[in-house]
Amino acid sequence: MYSEKVMDHFEHPRNVGEIENASGVGTVGNAKCGDIMRIFLDISDDGIIRDVKFKTFGCGAAVATSSMATELVKGKTVQEAMQVTNRAVMEALDGLPPVKVHCSLLAEEAIHAALWDYAQKKGIVIEGLEKPKSDIHEGEEQEEEEY
Ligand code: FES
């Protein structure tokens, strides 16, 4: 039921780990299953994602999609990374079973949360990027205040 690519990225996930003093870190949780994903981005001064690492405390599909998502954003500009949607990640993995589609959302959300963190730190606006809803670092009160 899983494609060969999903199995490959699950068994040999790329870019697992952490980046110290990362340019941006995003942590998101999946409300459906409680799984958690964290993405670290190292972004150069000219906005290129030089390195990316992830940690996923979640199911196999979440691990595979994190792995593929990190491969897709590596070396890209911040704007290009915005194009890495969960659909793009799933296509790159040759699909996921329908019940596992929600797992792929974590990767997109974690990348967006890490980009948001980067933008906040740099004081810049990334076009099309919205404040992450499920960043578990965010307190509820804070979310209310900012809207
Ligand atoms: Fe939780 Fe897949 S079941 S992310």
Side-chain angles (χ1 to χ4, degrees), residues 14-88:
R14 326 307 197 252
N15 310 310
V16 175
E18 297 181 25
I19 296 175
E20 254 183 71
N21 302 318
S23 316
V25 182
T27 308
V28 295
N30 188 319
K32 286 199 181 174
C33 59
D35 291 349
I36 293 172
M37 185 181 298
R38 182 170 297 157
I39 293 228
F40 302 81
L41 296 174
D42 175 26
I43 302 175
S44 69
D45 288 342
D46 48 358
I48 308 286
I49 299 172
R50 282 188 296 219
D51 199 11
V52 46
K53 294 267 190 265
F54 81 89
K55 282 194 156 178
T56 290
F57 310 92
C59 72
V63 171
T65 49
S66 321
S67 170
M68 181 54 91
T70 54
E71 287 286 273
L72 291 177
V73 300
K74 206 180 213 174
K76 301 274 169 66
T77 65
V78 164
Q79 273 309 326
E80 286 166 342
M82 289 293 295
Q83 315 297 320
V84 179
T85 59
N86 80 307
R87 190 171 293 273

Side-chain angles (χ1 to χ4, degrees), residues 53-126:
K53 294 267 190 265
F54 81 89
K55 282 194 156 178
T56 290
F57 310 92
C59 72
V63 171
T65 49
S66 321
S67 170
M68 181 54 91
T70 54
E71 287 286 273
L72 291 177
V73 300
K74 206 180 213 174
K76 301 274 169 66
T77 65
V78 164
Q79 273 309 326
E80 286 166 342
M82 289 293 295
Q83 315 297 320
V84 179
T85 59
N86 80 307
R87 190 171 293 273
V89 173
M90 280 196 299
E91 275 170 16
L93 286 169
D94 294 336
L96 277 175
V99 295
K100 288 285 170 186
V101 170
H102 74 271
C103 314
S104 68
L105 283 170
L106 265 188
E108 178 184 322
E109 286 172 2
I111 289 171
H112 285 183
L115 288 172
W116 181 267
D117 182 41
Y118 162 73
Q120 294 284 100
K121 283 182 184 157
K122 293 275 282 186
I124 58 169
V125 173
I126 297 174

